[in-house]
Amino acid sequence: MIIEHKTVIADVKLVADFQRYISYWRKRFTEQPITDFCSVIRINSTAPFEEQDNYFLLCDVLPEDRILREELQKQRLKEILEQQQQERNDNSFQGSCMFCNEEFLGNRSVLLNHMAREHTFNIGLPDNIVNCNEFLCTLQKKLDNLQCLYCEKTFRDKNTLKDHMRKKQHRRINPKNREYDRFYVINYLELGKSWEEVQLEDDRELLDHQEDDWSDWEEHPLSAVCLFCEKQAETIEKLCVHMEDAHEFDLLKIKSELGLNFYEQVKLVNFIRRQIHQCRCYGCHEKFKSKADLRTHMEEAKHTSLLPERQTWDQPQYYFPTYENDTLLCTLSDSESDLTAQEQNGNIAIISEDTSKLHALKQSSILNQLLLHESLKN
């Protein structure tokens, strides 16, 4: 159009449906002269008249063009919302995890929530995403090409890429890559505005109202996840009741019978989390193909309450959580209200460490075991 017809369309990237836009103006140009709609730009104005050229600029300064662009944007938003609603209600989705290859059937949110929870890979809430299949295929193709999704560097093999994304915390997408914009509904909301501009306006609005009364603010409590299934509860009491009723696993009873302090509870929880994550029964050490098969086996064989010997799980490596931000660990307690009757009677002697022999204390420190474990692992 520029070369053959000397016609320039301003802000082409902001036209929601370019084909319909062109069809509209093709018809209008047959009805009236092009100069009725376009601004005329004369180039080489200082040259002789025969060497001067006129170009025609079609832009949204013209009210008709502006209205057309807005109507196309509204129609595009309507189509996107219909597509999103269809995906939200679709229970025939089928896909596999990009990190562990576990297969998922049903709603797309199952896979997205799995990757966020198990692999800390969060691309946003399922309800904010559209054309989810195409989005996942785009990300999978990048991983297949050994490309990091965040920094977009390419690596020599898959293991190196996985280590890089884990250590650098690059299990997320690059927010500056405009290739992903079409997969988020927010980018279709307003004509010519990306998610960054919309969010910036929201931030400005918050700053303008920062003097407002926040007395009615209600903080949503964090939920702890069951050790054996996806059930969540807002308190440790409710979660323990669920685990006892559904899985015959009484965490409070185990804590009391074994006399576990806070750190021993942490190690036990992290041990169980890791075994379940690896689909391995800690009662008989049998490994299964899926967590559902493992859960069925453990419940039928009554292995949920069959803990291994203490030395198996009471290891320094289980100080570290299997999942990041495991809320259950934050709800554990060894406060006075949880002590046994014997402890409440004061029959437990508390002996302070002898800091006069600091060198010997350093030699027996638990940190030495951790360093040795990491060295052997490396």
Side-chain angles (χ1 to χ4, degrees):
M1 291 183 64
I2 294 176
I3 296 174
E4 297 294 334
H5 305 286
K6 296 182 172 57
T7 303
V8 179
I9 299 176
D11 299 318
V12 176
K13 65 180 181 180
L14 301 183
V15 179
D17 190 331
F18 188 70
Q19 185 173 353
R20 290 175 59 187
Y21 180 85
I22 290 295
S23 298
Y24 177 88
W25 283 116
R26 182 189 293 114
K27 181 175 181 297
R28 293 290 284 138
F29 288 165
T30 62
E31 298 171 351
Q32 293 177 235
I34 190 173
T35 52
D36 289 354
F37 307 107
C38 298
S39 303
V40 180
I41 303 173
R42 178 170 294 173
I43 64 172
N44 298 332
S45 58
T46 59
F49 182 77
E50 61 274 7
E51 296 180 11
Q52 296 179 8
D53 279 327
N54 289 338
Y55 280 79
F56 306 98
L57 176 64
L58 182 62
C59 64
D60 60 1
V61 172
L62 179 71
E64 185 177 352
D65 185 87
R66 177 70 183 181
I67 292 172
L68 174 61
R69 291 177 184 237
E70 290 177 348
E71 288 299 321
L72 293 177
Q73 175 70 18
K74 291 177 182 177
Q75 182 62 31
R76 182 66 181 277
L77 177 59
K78 180 182 177 182
E79 294 170 357
I80 287 295
L81 292 177
E82 289 175 352
Q83 172 67 22
Q84 184 207 31
Q85 187 63 36
Q86 179 183 345
E87 293 181 10
R88 290 173 64 182
N89 297 332
D90 180 22
N91 290 319
S92 61
F93 173 84
Q94 181 176 358
S96 59
C97 175
M98 292 184 288
F99 300 98
C100 67
N101 296 323
E102 185 175 347
E103 294 286 339
F104 291 90
L105 299 173
N107 193 277
R108 61 181 184 161
S109 61
V110 179
L111 172 57
L112 298 180
N113 290 335
H114 162 82
M115 291 194 294
R117 183 180 62 252
E118 302 286 349
H119 307 288
T120 63
F121 179 70
N122 190 355
I123 58 175
L125 294 175
D127 287 348
N128 295 339
I129 295 173
V130 68
N131 297 320
C132 185
N133 283 339
E134 184 184 353
F135 194 8
L136 294 175
C137 288
T138 300
L139 297 177
Q140 184 64 59
K141 186 176 180 180
K142 289 180 179 291
L143 291 178
D144 291 341
N145 291 331
L146 305 179
Q147 185 180 32
C148 174
L149 299 177
Y150 182 74
C151 68
E152 301 184 341
K153 293 180 181 179
T154 304
F155 294 84
R156 65 178 183 271
D157 56 57
K158 185 169 289 187
N159 289 333
T160 306
L161 172 61
K162 286 183 176 180
D163 289 342
H164 162 81
M165 293 180 68
R166 177 176 56 82
K167 292 177 181 178
K168 296 292 185 179
Q169 296 184 351
H170 282 189
R171 284 188 174 178
R172 47 192 170 136
I173 63 173
N174 182 1
K176 298 187 181 299
N177 189 333
R178 296 302 177 206
E179 179 184 5
Y180 304 131
D181 284 358
R182 68 182 189 274
F183 301 119
Y184 292 93
V185 176
I186 190 174
N187 294 304
Y188 298 92
L189 296 182
E190 295 188 50
L191 179 63
K193 291 183 180 180
S194 67
W195 64 270
E196 290 176 315
E197 294 169 307
V198 174
Q199 194 170 34
L200 186 60
E201 289 181 353
D202 293 342
D203 292 341
R204 289 200 191 107
E205 186 176 344
L206 285 175
L207 290 174
D208 293 339
H209 297 86
Q210 60 183 353
E211 300 299 328
D212 292 349
D213 183 16
W214 288 67
S215 60
D216 59 346
W217 173 266
E218 293 184 6
E219 183 176 1
H220 296 286
L222 296 174
S223 297
V225 182
C226 173
L227 290 170
F228 305 99
C229 67
E230 308 300 325
K231 172 69 176 179
Q232 298 184 23
E234 296 177 359
T235 64
I236 182 66
E237 291 79 11
K238 292 181 180 179
L239 190 62
C240 286
V241 169
H242 159 75
M243 289 192 291
E244 184 177 359
D245 293 342
H247 309 292
E248 298 184 9
F249 181 85
D250 192 341
L251 180 60
L252 297 179
K253 181 180 178 182
I254 292 173
K255 168 189 170 184
S256 177
E257 290 179 348
L258 299 181
L260 303 181
N261 60 30
F262 172 76
Y263 294 105
E264 289 167 337
Q265 293 176 66
V266 167
K267 286 190 281 188
L268 178 60
V269 168
N270 289 334
F271 166 78
I272 295 176
R273 287 271 197 232
R274 188 174 302 182
Q275 300 304 305
I276 300 300
H277 177 72
Q278 295 173 348
C279 297
R280 181 180 290 108
C281 174
Y282 54 74
C284 63
H285 309 295
E286 185 177 352
K287 191 172 176 60
F288 294 84
K289 292 182 179 180
S290 67
K291 291 183 180 178
D293 293 341
L294 170 64
R295 187 161 56 245
T296 301
H297 158 77
M298 295 186 72
E299 291 175 357
E300 290 178 351
K302 309 293 185 182
H303 282 183
T304 52
S305 58
L306 186 60
L307 290 177
E309 295 294 328
R310 188 177 188 126
Q311 59 266 27
T312 303
W313 55 265
D314 194 3
Q315 299 292 333
Q317 59 180 306
Y318 297 117
Y319 277 120
F320 305 99
T322 302
Y323 303 133
E324 291 186 19
N325 303 320
D326 189 346
T327 309
L328 177 56
L329 298 176
C330 302
T331 61
L332 300 176
S333 173
D334 59 355
S335 61
E336 291 183 0
S337 60
D338 295 326
L339 296 176
T340 62
Q342 183 183 15
E343 290 171 322
Q344 290 176 349
N345 291 333
N347 294 331
I348 302 298
I350 301 176
I351 304 174
S352 63
E353 293 178 327
D354 183 6
T355 56
S356 63
K357 299 179 181 179
L358 192 57
H359 179 71
L361 186 61
K362 289 180 178 179
Q363 293 297 321
S364 61
S365 172
I366 187 67
L367 294 177
N368 294 325
Q369 298 181 41
L370 295 176
L371 290 173
L372 176 60
H373 174 74
E374 288 299 318
S375 298
L376 292 174
K377 183 179 178 181
N378 293 333

